[in-house]
């Protein structure tokens, strides 16, 4: 990795250049499963961000003391703990949301994004960059989920974050909030990302003030 | 009774196919579906791990977690991972050929979301031992079906003039989307609602 | 001595195929004429507008998305075939904007995304219809009784993105009646048309006329529709024989719903069905079995569309396992790539 | 200080496991009251919703000695809920039931007035029916209203078009299957429960307030669990 | 349909191109006058090229050997005329490049007597001597591939042949040269067949003739005059009935295994013209110096069947037939399904040239190409039961290695697939290119 590691850069790369969903195609299951509305996407994104940030924090601070044979097991234990905490918290304070997200909160445990970050980054860096990286990834993940959730909610229910957009006579595209809609919309967004990245590569320009794409 | 088991099986296999309706196990679904034979083997490995998982989750739920349900998630993860590893070692000894065919996929899926979800769903639906195993068989079979169809279709696209921007991931999502549309036809099959 | 003309050098064979792809597509269009005529006669202007909306959108999308040179890919006529077929699978009072959206999806998602004619894995018209059915499940299952050649439906005229005003009279299709009321109606009207249903599917007679034309012109692989119809007939005759009060007769199963239309025009799509004769039989039979399964034990009243799409998905696998056994080989030992 | 390798591994995992356990248990303790309150409130709301006039409720367990309040420590398998008005008078039973819908299992609860032999309310607790179609079994006010006063004799029946009979429910156009599923679920639950339920006069009375315990859905094994009982998301 | 055809004694699959034989089928073979110059490429048969045994300036007699075999799978070449060798140099070859050839100027004052010698006592020869004798006559298979005929009569040790198959199918459209030969010289074909049968020691000889040549069947049967060891078998009209593996399948319901020859099943297959040439050489001493060529096609003014001295420039043949029509723009040597297009009219008629066909712009127009619609017509056309659609698509994608898994090596390049394809995909051409690339990679 030739780039200098600065917290702000770590934060930003997760949004676009290494966006976990659109670029790395990680954590697809929750990204599709819960994004039938923007609010669900946001909640899932935030819960995931919480888990990844806390886990990174812990993992990077204890990284010196964890022998490598049990590294993964320890990480999983740490992640599972935070997921359980998040799950209880959601159940206690936002029961309705928890009903919507269902088992997918628990399934954050196995989100490849989180374990991936611990393996690839937190276990090799000190606390500040690790947390910045995790926050960036979490933000990128949240951004992607909210984008997907927004498109699906707007078309599928005619509303955005529950606000009706087109009036009562709008004909919702039910497919968008059904499983096929998730796959198809994800395909469309990936296509758009590819188009933008392609155009950007050709123009040699930059977006988000990020570093130049390879 | 057998009607109920059929409904559980068909439900997990087709109607609420783990991959195409529940979005579970997508990472291997997209990652390992480029070649038919590997996809098929991954599917079989899934069936295998799911059967073990179902058994393990049922055992945990019945004998261990009765008094500490809040530890469910963490125990599931740990126990499933270690049981699969243990069975993997047994397999290596007892059936080396099978192990060679499935072995490389096991680490890939032991802690993926489809497996964990199987355990969680089985518990939250209150399935008993037999129901759980049938559920695991259906879910694993469903994953295999989706994987094999997907792999066949993806191999076919390699001979096509797919637009360059679509090659790769976006294309796979479109295939999955249409597959998912097609699987909607199974809604209500054998569930007694027809 | 003869003066030397400029000689063309091109590879053998030097005889041209008698059948060309545009001619095949033209034959399909001709074969659709009886269905179109009956649709217009029974369901009126509204029906024709629905077909037109789907077709125009399909052709426009093909024009916009196909690789350069623009419009060249329109020459084979397959986009029009897709559009008309889609239109004919929609109900008469379907909103025009939805039909147009369907045409767009059929070509964009069903065809262009895969590289255009010949590269699509799923039947484009059915991809469009499956999308519409999942997006607007009510509009696409709202049937009206035939109301003559001048009819126009309120539903047709819904504003884009908006709901349709409900039509005064709605009716249940024969399959709905069978599924929910156990009522199988009379076969004569199923054969001639004049029942509620999708535009193209109501008159078995018109479909058979089109099918015979395709057969005569060898425009399709007859094994595909034959396999599908035979499978449905055999399976439902068996079930009817065992439990006549629970399962409808084979004749009803054959004539009702979109089965004939789907078998003749959609299962027969060459692009999305196997290339080998054995594969074609399996494809047809598999689709037929799925239709019976969905109709009799599934949640939905009709399953032709899903059956064909599912068999489309299995086509690459079928192609693989039904490779012809090469001459002089004991059995098919090929392919190679494992 | 250098520990032997294995000991070090075991120690690390042990510490991690202990810390993790401690964290989970303390979060559990911290959130338990809220979560239970949430669940109890949701259940109570649903029960009282399907039993018009009811203001309080208790869980009734079907056991060896017939139907008895859970508060008395009765053990057994299935349970229903009894609803009572402000004066403590019995209003009716709320019966939970589940069965296959169009996509997946539908869970619902319905109120039954044994005096008039009528269903007096129905609420869907959980379903994965298609939004815009099947979800009209709980979003369509007309359909829900059908269950406010529905005779259970000879049996609850679904009709297409306009049903006149007191026992008839109109199918929702475009969601016939889901409507049918609701009616079928009610029918099956009626078959299982109606013969067991004592008439209003003999219904177990509401215990005095001081003896009441919070009602946990699902009984002994209740309480929050990761992944929850809360459905499976979509 | 194909089921029925199978029952009636044919092979599976295949195509039914329009026959176009009516313009020449009734025309008796006429002798083509000598042109001024003759060009005899040293490579006009399969195998090693021949080696010249004359020098420029040498005088040669008609039927005199001018090149000797360049190996065992090779054969001799004889002068078609009496005249003078003017050059041994590269000359245009039908295959499209310049190739080493012997050029002979005819002696305009010579009587051009046909070469004659007393019949050879072929029964007395050992196998080796017989093969050498046949090779000396420059005989090659005249059914298209120009495979040196003597090779087929030098059986490997221990190999037994039980049936001689004479190929009179002539399944390619337009061509009627074998047809006329069978009608006009049936006894020559039968005498050649008798020699071949005797040398091979076979009990039965079967002559396969497509049912569209009833007069040929009648003529052969009449010439047989009741002999029981030779059977004339009419066959369904279907291309490529004449391909040897298809013919064996059609006549005997046996499939020659992939990679094997009919010989491995105990059959030897020879073309009717080859048989006649064999008789002419062994009984009269006339080596292979002329052959019947069908000149036809819409671009030819006067279609004909001509007995053409080998080495005659195509231009001369066409001129003899009134020349090309004004709109002719494509000339093909051989049949329209497997023939070779030529870029220049100066190429000569070779031993394997069965026809000269000229097409006009209307026929020569490239079909517009569409993508494969997977209609399966090519699959149902391929006599080798391959999947040409898949082969074509793999070839387009450049995935040649995978094509071997789809048995590209079994393709006989008959062109049935290209002919059947509604999308105008040049499948057989794609396959040829792929095969060449594969061979190159292996080498
Ligand atoms: C995408 C899709 C979703 C559907 N969802 C439901 C559903 O949730 N509930 C239901 O009863 N029917 C559902 N259906 C089934 C059809 O609407 C079916 O035709 C209808 O139930 C029959 O009712 P009708 O006789 O009133 O038209 C669905 C169909 C489709 C295509
Ligand atoms: C596609 C194809 C078609 C053929 N058709 C004929 C034919 O019609 N007549 C024929 O004599 N040989 C035909 N041949 C050549 C035969 O396979 C075989 O080589 C020939 O009959 C052997 O006899 P010869 O060596 O005397 O030429 C064809 C070959 C191929 C590949
Ligand atoms: C490389 C090669 C080797 C052959 N070897 C023999 C042989 O040993 N014996 C034989 O009788 N024919 C042999 N043949 C001749 C074939 O049987 C066949 O007659 C010849 O290839 C022409 O067939 P065609 O006209 O069908 O293409 C050989 C042909 C080739 C191309
Ligand atoms: C017999 C026949 C049936 C066809 N059926 C369909 C069809 O059902 N849907 C469709 O979009 N195109 C159909 N086509 C047209 C064409 O094959 C289709 O547009 C391709 O799938 C596009 O690649 C058909 C063509 C033929 C010859
Ligand atoms: S050379 Fe051509 S026409 Fe002649 S027999 Fe062979 S395939 Fe038939
Ligand atoms: S050219 Fe080859 S692939 Fe094509 S039909 Fe003939 S044998 Fe089959
Ligand atoms: S005949 Fe042509 S279009 Fe048809 S499958 Fe073969 S290659 Fe494709
Ligand atoms: S592959 Fe090449 S060498 Fe072989 S027959 Fe074809 S063109 Fe000739
Ligand atoms: S997130 Fe589901 S498999 Fe990776």
């Amino acid at each position: 990795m030739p780039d200098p590691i600065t917290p702000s850069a770590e934060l930003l790369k997760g949004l676009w250049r290494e966006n976990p969903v659109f670029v790395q195609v990680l954590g697809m299951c929750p990204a599709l499963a819960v994004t039938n509305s923007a609010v669900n996407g946001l909640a899932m994104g935030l819960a995931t961000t919480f888990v990844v940030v806390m886990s990174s924090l812990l993992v990077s601070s204890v990284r010196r003391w964890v022998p490598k044979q049990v590294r993964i097991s320890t990480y999983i234990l740490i992640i599972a703990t935070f997921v359980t905490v998040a799950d209880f918290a959601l159940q206690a304070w936002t029961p309705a949301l928890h009903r919507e997200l269902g088992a997918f909160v628990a399934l954050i445990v196995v989100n490849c994004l989180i374990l991936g970050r611990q393996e690839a980054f937190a276990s090799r860096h000190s606390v500040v960059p690790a947390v910045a990286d995790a926050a960036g990834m979490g933000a990128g993940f949240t951004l992607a989920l909210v984008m997907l959730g927004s498109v699906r909610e707007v078309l599928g229910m005619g509303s955005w974050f529950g606000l009706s957009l087109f009036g009562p006579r709008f004909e919702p595209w039910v497919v968008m909030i059904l499983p096929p809609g998730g796959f198809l919309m994800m395909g469309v967004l990936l296509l758009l990302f590819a188009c933008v990245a392609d155009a950007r590569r050709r123009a040699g320009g930059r977006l988000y003030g990020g570093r130049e794409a390879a | 009774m057998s009607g109920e088991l059929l409904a559980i099986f068909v439900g997990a296999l087709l109607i609420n196919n783990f991959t195409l309706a529940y979005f579970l196990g997508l990472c291997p679904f997209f990652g390992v579906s480029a070649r038919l034979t590997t996809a098929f083997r991954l599917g079989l490995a899934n069936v295998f791990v799911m059967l073990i998982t179902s058994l393990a989750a049922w055992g945990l739920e019945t004998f261990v977690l009765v008094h500490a349900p809040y530890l469910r998630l963490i125990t599931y993860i740990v126990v499933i991972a270690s049981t699969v590893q243990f069975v993997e070692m047994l397999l290596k000894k007892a059936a080396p050929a099978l192990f060679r065919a499935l072995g490389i996929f096991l680490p890939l899926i032991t802690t993926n979301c489809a497996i964990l979800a199987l355990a969680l769903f089985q518990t939250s639906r209150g399935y008993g031992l037999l129901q759980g195993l049938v559920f695991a068989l259906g879910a694993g079979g469903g994953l295999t079906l989706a994987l094999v169809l997907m792999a066949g279709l993806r191999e076919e696209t390699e001979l096509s003039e797919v637009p360059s921007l679509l090659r790769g991931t976006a294309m796979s999502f479109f295939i999955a989307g249409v597959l998912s549309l097609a699987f909607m036809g199974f809604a209500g099959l054998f569930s007694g609602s027809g | 001595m003869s003066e030397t003309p400029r000689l063309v050098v091109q590879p053998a064979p030097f005889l041209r195929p008698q059948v060309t792809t545009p001619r095949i597509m033209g034959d399909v269009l001709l074969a659709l004429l009886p269905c179109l005529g009956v649709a217009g006669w029974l369901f009126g202007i509204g029906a024709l507008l629905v077909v037109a909306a789907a077709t125009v959108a399909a052709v426009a999308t093909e024009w916009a998305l196909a690789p350069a040179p623009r419009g060249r890919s329109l020459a084979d006529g397959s986009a029009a075939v897709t559009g008309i077929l889609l239109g004919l699978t929609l109900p008469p009072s379907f909103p025009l904007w939805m039909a147009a959206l369907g045409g767009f999806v059929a070509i964009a998602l069903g065809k262009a995304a895969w590289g255009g004619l010949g590269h699509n894995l799923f039947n484009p018209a059915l991809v469009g219809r499956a999308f519409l059915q999942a997006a607007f499940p009510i509009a696409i299952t709202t049937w009206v009784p035939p109301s003559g050649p001048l009819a126009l439906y309120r539903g047709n005229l819904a504003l884009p993105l908006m709901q349709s005003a409900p039509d005064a009279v709605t009716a249940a299709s024969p399959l709905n009646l069978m599924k929910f009321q156990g009522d199988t109606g009379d076969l004569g009207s199923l054969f001639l048309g004049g029942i509620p249903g999708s535009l193209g599917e109501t008159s078995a007679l018109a479909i058979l006329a089109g099918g015979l034309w395709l057969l005569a012109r060898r425009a399709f692989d007859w094994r595909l529709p034959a396999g599908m119809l035979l499978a449905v007939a055999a399976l439902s005759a068996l079930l009817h024989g065992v439990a006549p009060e629970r399962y409808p007769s084979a004749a009803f199963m054959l004539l009702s719903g979109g089965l004939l239309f789907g078998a003749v025009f959609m299962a027969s799509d060459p692009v999305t069905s196997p290339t080998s004769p054995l594969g074609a039989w399996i494809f047809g039979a598999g689709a037929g079995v799925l239709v019976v399964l969905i109709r009799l034990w599934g949640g939905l009243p009709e399953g032709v569309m899903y059956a064909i799409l599912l068999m489309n998905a299995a086509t690459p696998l079928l192609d693989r396992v039904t490779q012809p056994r090469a001459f002089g080989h004991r059995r098919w030992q090929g392919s190679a790539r494992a | 200080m250098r520990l032997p390798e294995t000991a070090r591994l075991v120690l690390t995992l042990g510490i991690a496991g202990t810390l993790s356990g401690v964290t989970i248990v303390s979060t559990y303790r911290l959130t338990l009251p809220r979560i239970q309150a949430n669940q109890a409130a949701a259940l109570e709301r649903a029960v009282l919703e399907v039993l018009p006039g009811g203001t309080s409720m208790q869980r009734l367990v079907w056991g060896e000695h017939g139907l008895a309040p859970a508060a008395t420590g009765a053990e057994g398998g299935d349970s229903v809920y009894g609803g009572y008005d402000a004066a403590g008078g019995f209003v009716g039973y709320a019966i939970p039931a589940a069965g296959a819908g169009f996509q997946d299992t539908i869970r619902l609860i319905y109120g039954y007035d044994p005096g008039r032999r009528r269903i007096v309310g129905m609420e869907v607790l959980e379903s994965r029916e298609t939004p815009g179609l099947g979800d009209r079994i709980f979003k369509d006010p007309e359909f829900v209203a059908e269950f406010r006063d529905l005779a259970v004799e000879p049996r609850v029946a679904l009709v297409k078009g306009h049903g006149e009979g007191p026992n008839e429910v109109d199918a929702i156009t475009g969601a016939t299957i889901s409507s049918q599923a609701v009616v079928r679920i009610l029918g099956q639950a009626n078959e299982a429960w109606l013969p067991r339920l004592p008439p209003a006069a003999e219904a177990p009375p509401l215990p005095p307030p001081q003896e009441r315990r919070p009602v946990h859905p699902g009984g002994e094994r209740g309480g929050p669990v990761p992944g929850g009982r809360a459905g499976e998301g979509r | 349909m194909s089921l029925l055809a199978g029952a009636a004694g044919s092979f599976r699959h295949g195509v039914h191109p329009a026959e176009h034989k009516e313009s020449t089928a009734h025309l008796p073979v006429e002798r083509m006058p000598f042109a001024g110059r003759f060009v005899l490429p040293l490579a006009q048969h399969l195998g090693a090229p021949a080696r010249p045994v004359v020098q420029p300036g040498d005088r040669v007699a008609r039927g005199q050997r001018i090149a000797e075999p360049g190996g065992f799978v090779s054969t001799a070449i004889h002068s078609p005329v009496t005249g003078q060798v003017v050059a041994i140099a590269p000359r245009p070859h039908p295959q499209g490049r310049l190739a080493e050839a012997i050029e002979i100027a005819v002696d305009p004052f010579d009587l051009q007597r046909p070469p004659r010698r007393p019949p050879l006592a072929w029964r007395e020869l050992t196998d080796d001597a017989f093969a050498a004798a046949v090779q000396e006559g420059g005989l090659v298979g005249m059914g298209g591939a120009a495979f040196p005929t003597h090779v087929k009569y030098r059986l490997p040790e221990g190999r037994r042949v039980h049936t001689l198959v004479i190929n009179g199918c002539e399944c390619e459209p337009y061509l009627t040269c074998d047809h006329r030969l069978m009608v006009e010289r049936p006894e020559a074909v039968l005498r050649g067949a008798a020699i071949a049968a005797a040398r091979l020691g076979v009990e039965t000889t079967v002559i396969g003739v497509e049912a569209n040549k009833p007069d040929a069947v009648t003529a052969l049967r009449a010439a047989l005059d009741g002999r029981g060891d030779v059977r004339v078998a009419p066959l369904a009209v279907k291309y490529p009935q004449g391909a040897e593996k298809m013919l064996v399948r059609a006549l005997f319901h046996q499939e020659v295994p992939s990679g094997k020859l009919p010989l491995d099943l105990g059959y030897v297959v020879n073309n009717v013209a080859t048989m006649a040439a064999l008789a002419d050489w062994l009984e009269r001493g006339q080596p292979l110096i002329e052959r019947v060529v069908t000149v036809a096609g819409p671009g030819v003014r006067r279609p004909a069947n001509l007995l053409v001295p080998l080495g005659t420039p195509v231009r001369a043949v066409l001129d003899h037939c009134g020349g090309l029509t004004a709109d002719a723009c494509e000339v093909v040597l051989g049949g329209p399904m497997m023939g070779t297009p030529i870029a220049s009219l100066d190429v000569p008629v070779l031993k394997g040239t069965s026809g000269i066909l000229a097409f006009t712009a209307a026929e020569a127009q490239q079909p517009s190409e569409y993508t494969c619609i997977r209609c399966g017509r090519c699959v149902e056309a391929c006599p080798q039961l391959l999947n040409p659609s898949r082969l074509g698509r793999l070839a387009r994608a450049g995935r040649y290695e995978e094509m071997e898994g789809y048995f590209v090596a079994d393709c006989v390049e008959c062109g049935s697939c290209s002919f059947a394809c509604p999308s105008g995909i040049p499948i057989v051409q794609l396959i040829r290119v792929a095969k060449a690339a594969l061979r190159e990679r292996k080498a």
Side-chain angles (χ1 to χ4, degrees), chain C residues 3-10 14 16, chain E residues 297-300 318 323-332 341-345 357-366:
Chain C
E3 71 300 354
T4 308
R6 275 180 63 88
L7 291 181
V8 186
V9 175
Q10 53 188 0
F14 305 95
R16 300 290 164 243
Chain E
V300 172
L318 287 169
L324 293 172
T325 60
D327 54 351
C329 68
E330 184 176 43
V331 176
V332 172
I342 54 174
S344 152
L345 295 184
L357 307 179
F359 297 107
T360 63
E363 295 88 34
Q365 201 199 355
Q366 284 276 3

Side-chain angles (χ1 to χ4, degrees), chain D residues 114-168:
Chain D
R116 295 169 47 230
R117 301 191 68 72
R118 299 243 153 167
I119 288 173
V120 292
M122 186 278 297
E123 179 161 312
V124 175
L125 299 175
E126 189 188 319
S127 85
R128 272 172 35 92
E129 302 301 277
T130 316
L133 271 186
D135 70 351
R136 281 156 64 194
I137 56 176
F138 55 94
K139 288 197 173 153
D140 184 341
E142 276 181 42
F143 185 72
V144 176
E146 300 257 17
F147 299 90
R148 298 259 160 78
D149 187 22
L150 186 64
V152 296
E153 270 146 2
R155 58 184 180 82
V156 183
L158 187 81
V159 294
K160 305 229 346 167
H162 286 284
E164 299 294 326
N167 66 327
E168 287 179 344

Side-chain angles (χ1 to χ4, degrees), chain C:
Chain C
M1 284 233 136
S2 71
E3 71 300 354
T4 308
R6 275 180 63 88
L7 291 181
V8 186
V9 175
Q10 53 188 0
F14 305 95
L15 294 180
R16 300 290 164 243
Q18 295 111 329
V19 177
T20 65
T21 296
R23 199 195 90 166
I24 293 176
M25 297 303 163
D27 279 336
V28 178
L29 290 177
L30 285 177
L32 284 168
L33 280 182
C35 288
L36 270 175
V38 171
W41 176 253
L42 292 176
F43 297 106
I45 302 167
L48 298 180
L49 283 179
V50 168
V51 177
T55 311
V56 168
V59 171
T61 311
E62 175 82 30
W63 181 81
L65 293 185
R70 271 260 148 96
R72 185 180 168 270
S73 72
L74 292 181
D76 58 53
S78 64
V81 171
T82 299
I84 294 181
L85 281 170
L86 170 66
L88 285 174
T89 61
L90 299 174
S93 63
F94 202 59
L96 298 181
W97 74 267
M98 292 182 190
L101 178 68
F104 165 77
V105 172
I107 297 293
L109 173 65
K111 190 170 167 197
W114 321 89
L117 177 69
H119 297 306
N120 49 306
L121 304 174
F122 296 93
N123 188 321
L126 289 182
V127 168
R129 190 179 196 283
F131 182 89
L132 289 178
Q133 170 139 3
F136 313 113
I138 301 193
I140 212 167
T141 49
T142 304
W143 313 111
V144 293
S147 8
L150 292 179
L152 183 63
Y153 303 91
R154 278 210 279 167
N156 292 147
L157 301 177
L159 292 175
L161 296 185
M162 293 298 143
Q163 283 165 9
S164 53
D167 272 282
V169 212
T170 56
S173 70
L175 276 172
N176 271 29
L177 291 175
M178 183 277 282
K179 183 131 208 157
F180 300 114
Q181 257 106 333
D183 169 6
T184 55
D186 87 300
L187 295 176
S189 54
L190 282 178
F191 188 71
L192 294 174
I195 43 167
S198 296
L199 293 173
E201 74 184 27
T202 60
S203 167
L205 189 63
I207 299 167
L208 288 177
L212 286 178
W213 170 255
L214 291 179
L215 192 64
R217 302 279 290 179
R218 293 164 181 275
F220 65 11
D221 185 345
W222 57 274
R223 298 173 188 90
L224 295 160
M228 188 164 178
L229 296 175
L230 281 177
V232 171
L235 202 55
S236 48
L238 187 78
L239 289 168
H240 186 67
V242 173
E245 67 295 338
R246 280 185 52 200
Y247 301 114
S249 68
F252 175 81
M253 288 288 277
L254 284 180
L255 294 177
S256 60
L259 178 64
L260 269 181
F261 190 81
V264 169
F265 291 109
M266 309 194 106
S268 60
D269 176 11
V271 175
T272 53
S273 54
T275 40
S276 65
L278 177 62
W281 280 118
I282 300 178
F283 181 100
V289 170
L290 283 170
V291 168
V292 175
L293 214 62
I294 294 176
R295 278 189 185 175
L296 297 185
W297 291 291
L300 297 166
E302 173 63 310
V304 170
M305 171 180 81
Y306 293 113
I308 296 175
L309 282 173
L310 287 165
M311 291 316 289
N312 288 162
T315 293
L317 303 181
L318 286 181
D319 254 341
R320 225 168 227 270
V321 298
T322 62
Q323 281 299 324
R325 173 197 60 89
F327 189 93
H329 290 256
R330 246 172 240 301
R331 62 194 160 78
W332 194 75
Q333 300 144 320
S335 185
R337 196 147 47 87

Side-chain angles (χ1 to χ4, degrees), chain E residues 21 142-144 167-173 175 177-178 239-240 242-243 271 334-336 338 352 354:
Chain E
K21 298 200 191 234
M142 298 175 77
N167 190 342
C169 295
E170 197 160 56
C171 56
E172 282 250 22
L175 300 188
C177 50
D178 288 355
Y239 178 84
N271 174 257
M338 290 191 68
S354 47

